[in-house]
Amino acid sequence: MSDTHNAQYIVQRLWNYCNILRDEGLSYGDYLEQLTYLLFLKMAHERTQPPYNQPARIPEELSWASLLKLDGEALEAHYRRILSELGQRNGMLGIIFRKAQNKIQDPAKLRRLIVDLIDREQWTSLSADVKGDAYEGLLQKNAEDIKGGAGQYFTPRPLISAIVDVMQPRPGQRICDPACGTGGFLLAAHDYIVKHYSQQMNRDQRRFLKHEALHGWEIVDAAARLCVMNLFLHGIGDDESEHCPIRVADSLRSHPGEYFDLVLTNPPFGRKSSITYINEKGREEREASVIVRDDFIASTSNKQLNFLQHVKSLLKPHGQAAIVVPDNVLFEGGAGEIIRRDLLDTCDVHTLLRLPTGIFYAQGVKANVLFFERKPASARPWTEQLWIYDLRTNQHFTLRSRPLMRAHLDDFVACYQPGRRHEREENERFRAFSYEELIKRDKVNLDIVWLRDRSLEDASDLPAPDEIIGDIVEDLQAALEQLNAIIEDLNGNGNGNGKRKTEEGLNAEESEITMLVDG
């Protein structure tokens, strides 16, 4: 069986069992978490067996073998004990089991998962590609569970691939994702280096790539453990080390005190940084949190603008960044204008990719990828030309019927001219704008469109009705997010009633539109 078919076979076996557990109320995300715990225990056990014969890092009383001996309630109780005690450890082990809980309440189903599914495979003997591809397949299936919100940590892999292809990571570079989710950017950068430099790397470069090249921050425990397991299954890091490439923390709170050659990231789409607390009446309230840092040019509660400042702060001189940003980062006034001016002056902001709608699992998102290089201090602005590639106008994608494929980004990669940016040429979708043109625009607005939208001129170019409805729903959800932000600002910290009423109104409108189309 080929590696591809082997990976697909493993994914299908594990995923079929998830459908059984869903009847018990277990979500895709919960199921994937339990797989993460059990897979790690199984592989740690396999490493103590021939031909590896490595010393056991997990005490015998908490090992995989201890689970196989039990059944019924004793198995469920012992599994809970293992999760609790391993969560106190350091390194990759501690991240994977941090705040771990058993979500499989039926001991019979837990035993079947352990004995019939996981124990039957020799996971350590599988190649890193098979293990990693199988796990990546599960992550993608998890992201497709849109109703559960699981997709918020998942950037479309074709987009990641294109970004990494133009950034061209190299051996010896320190690579960072300050909002790493399940590790897509870090893994793609690692695989790019292996693919293009495996024959050239010496022993020290290979060790550096495995243990020191990749760095990530993730604020959500569940996403962090999926990321660590994903990296581990691809042969990155090891369970023997106290060091973990992923840190569970809010990366925006402070500068880590270290700098990177490449920053590749897709920060969370929420606009506001906020603190949730319980007021004197016992009600949950949220307060806008303005991030104040000495290394930021502007203080704001807009999370996206803060991530843009943070990414710049992480770069070494001549370090390169690619960051996914929503449209508002390109045109918002106030702090947004200050940050854009500073970025154009202190960095070479050379490329902007306008992304099509319908490619993210999070709905209502109009986004872009901003590419820039940090430069040393200079009296003259570093940006000479911003090249914009428009992949949005007259393009339509959906998650189901027309998903974004890597081939859809081939022309952008060719136009980008990786390593030869001075050879770029304009075409219908790729245009250059000088620093002088940009700085004269109202609020230094970088949201520039020049292509004519054919659907506005010719009804025959309109998408199918269900695609139009999808666009309307996305716009409604984007409007809801903006209204919620306004309501929070108006009410100070409010009790959320205005938000609920807004959601109810828009949800009702969405239902009416859907019924009209179905009718």
Side-chain angles (χ1 to χ4, degrees):
M1 186 181 291
S2 71
D3 282 359
T4 301
H5 284 103
N6 203 356
Q8 291 173 347
Y9 166 73
I10 294 169
V11 169
Q12 199 57 51
R13 280 192 66 209
L14 293 173
W15 211 249
N16 285 343
Y17 192 61
C18 177
N19 293 328
I20 297 173
L21 291 173
R22 289 201 83 189
D23 294 338
E24 303 290 318
L26 205 71
S27 71
Y28 286 127
D30 289 340
Y31 175 60
L32 191 50
E33 269 192 6
Q34 302 306 309
L35 282 179
T36 300
Y37 307 145
L38 295 170
L39 281 173
F40 199 91
L41 289 171
K42 176 64 160 61
M43 286 190 295
H45 170 72
E46 289 174 0
R47 288 182 173 209
T48 67
Q49 306 299 302
Y52 311 100
N53 297 316
Q54 295 179 1
R57 284 196 72 225
I58 296 177
E60 185 177 351
E61 67 272 15
L62 304 176
S63 69
W64 180 256
S66 70
L67 282 172
L68 294 176
K69 298 174 184 176
L70 300 174
D71 204 345
E73 292 184 4
L75 171 63
E76 199 267 337
H78 184 60
Y79 180 47
R80 277 191 281 111
R81 177 195 168 196
I82 289 175
L83 298 183
S84 174
E85 295 193 19
L86 292 183
Q88 310 302 315
R89 301 299 179 97
N90 295 321
M92 296 184 91
L93 197 65
I95 297 293
I96 286 176
F97 291 95
R98 176 184 165 98
K99 298 181 182 178
Q101 293 181 329
N102 174 31
K103 301 288 181 65
I104 305 174
Q105 303 303 320
D106 185 341
K109 289 186 171 64
L110 177 60
R111 179 162 177 78
R112 182 180 168 190
L113 179 59
I114 291 170
V115 175
D116 294 344
L117 282 139
I118 296 178
D119 196 54
R120 288 190 178 182
E121 293 287 347
Q122 287 296 311
W123 294 87
T124 308
S125 64
L126 296 174
S127 74
D129 283 346
V130 173
K131 286 185 298 199
D133 289 349
Y135 197 74
E136 189 80 357
L138 290 171
L139 288 173
Q140 180 147 359
K141 282 182 176 288
N142 183 37
E144 290 167 0
D145 181 29
I146 302 169
K147 291 181 180 177
Q152 63 180 306
Y153 310 116
F154 200 88
T155 306
R157 289 328 187 223
L159 177 60
I160 289 178
S161 174
I163 291 172
V164 170
D165 282 348
V166 300
M167 297 295 282
Q168 299 182 321
R170 302 187 306 276
Q173 288 187 322
R174 303 183 79 241
I175 302 165
C176 168
D177 184 346
C180 62
T182 56
F185 274 113
L186 297 176
L187 186 57
H190 171 274
D191 290 350
Y192 182 95
I193 294 172
V194 170
K195 178 180 178 181
H196 291 84
Y197 297 97
S198 59
Q199 303 301 317
Q200 306 167 32
M201 285 192 291
N202 58 37
R203 183 177 178 180
D204 287 342
Q205 288 174 320
R206 292 178 187 279
R207 182 197 59 77
F208 183 86
L209 179 61
K210 181 179 174 69
H211 296 288
E212 299 179 47
L214 306 180
H215 301 262
W217 279 260
E218 175 52 52
I219 195 171
V220 178
D221 285 309
R225 75 167 53 92
L226 297 179
C227 179
V228 171
M229 191 64 175
N230 200 16
L231 297 180
F232 179 78
L233 286 172
H234 281 86
I236 301 165
D238 62 62
D239 60 343
E240 301 297 316
S241 172
E242 293 297 298
H243 168 74
C244 182
I246 306 303
R247 280 162 268 192
V248 184
D250 182 356
S251 62
L252 286 179
R253 286 298 169 189
S254 62
H255 194 281
E258 49 188 321
Y259 299 87
F260 303 92
D261 300 286
L262 286 184
V263 178
L264 313 170
T265 190
N266 176 13
F269 288 136
R271 284 166 50 92
K272 293 284 185 180
S273 296
S274 62
I275 299 170
T276 302
Y277 63 96
I278 306 300
N279 66 15
E280 65 277 5
K281 296 181 181 179
R283 294 176 178 171
E284 187 178 275
E285 294 188 354
R286 287 169 56 190
E287 182 177 278
S289 174
V290 175
I291 303 294
V292 179
R293 279 174 43 177
D294 291 340
D295 56 339
F296 280 11
I297 193 71
S299 298
T300 173
S301 63
N302 185 312
K303 190 185 299 183
Q304 293 290 340
L305 291 173
N306 284 326
F307 262 109
L308 183 56
Q309 296 187 89
H310 182 56
V311 165
K312 177 195 164 187
S313 77
L314 293 172
L315 291 172
K316 296 178 179 178
H318 305 291
Q320 301 273 351
I323 175 174
V324 179
V325 295
D327 280 7
N328 72 280
V329 167
L330 303 181
F331 60 74
E332 192 167 294
E337 180 182 351
I338 294 170
I339 292 165
R340 287 190 297 277
R341 285 183 183 275
D342 173 72
L343 203 67
L344 292 172
D345 288 346
T346 60
C347 300
D348 179 8
V349 186
H350 53 79
T351 312
L352 178 69
L353 169 61
R354 285 171 50 83
L355 294 172
T357 59
I359 66 171
F360 291 101
Y361 292 101
Q363 295 292 306
V365 172
K366 287 187 171 69
N368 315 265
V369 187
L370 192 62
F371 299 83
F372 61 92
E373 176 181 344
R374 185 164 189 178
K375 295 290 190 176
S378 169
R380 294 183 57 192
W382 277 106
T383 301
E384 295 182 358
Q385 285 184 315
L386 171 63
W387 288 78
I388 301 179
Y389 189 98
D390 187 347
L391 189 61
R392 185 184 305 173
T393 307
N394 301 320
Q395 296 286 333
H396 200 88
F397 296 91
T398 64
L399 294 177
R400 297 276 192 269
S401 59
R402 190 173 186 255
L404 181 74
M405 308 295 286
R406 177 61 180 80
H408 294 130
L409 290 149
D410 283 351
D411 186 60
F412 163 70
V413 174
C415 289
Y416 188 103
Q417 294 278 25
R420 305 185 308 275
R421 294 205 312 263
H422 61 281
E423 297 179 12
R424 289 176 171 181
E425 295 181 359
E426 289 190 335
N427 61 33
E428 180 187 22
R429 290 196 174 272
F430 198 43
R431 283 190 56 181
F433 298 86
S434 69
Y435 174 84
E436 290 73 23
E437 289 178 276
L438 299 173
I439 213 72
K440 289 177 182 176
R441 290 175 58 82
D442 182 41
K443 300 177 183 176
V444 195
N445 184 345
L446 304 183
D447 187 28
I448 303 173
V449 183
W450 63 92
L451 290 173
R452 299 173 68 179
D453 191 335
R454 291 193 300 267
S455 65
L456 299 178
E457 301 173 0
D458 186 351
S460 64
D461 281 321
L462 287 173
D466 62 331
E467 294 180 356
I468 296 174
I469 293 307
D471 288 343
I472 294 172
V473 169
E474 286 193 3
D475 287 340
L476 286 171
Q477 288 169 327
L480 171 61
E481 183 178 309
Q482 293 174 14
L483 285 170
N484 286 338
I486 293 169
I487 289 169
E488 288 174 9
D489 289 342
L490 289 175
N491 293 344
N493 39 28
N495 59 14
N497 288 335
K499 176 181 176 180
R500 283 196 297 273
K501 289 176 182 177
T502 308
E503 286 176 340
E504 289 166 3
L506 285 173
N507 287 338
E509 188 172 345
E510 178 184 325
S511 299
E512 288 177 14
I513 293 169
T514 305
M515 285 189 291
L516 282 170
V517 172
D518 292 343

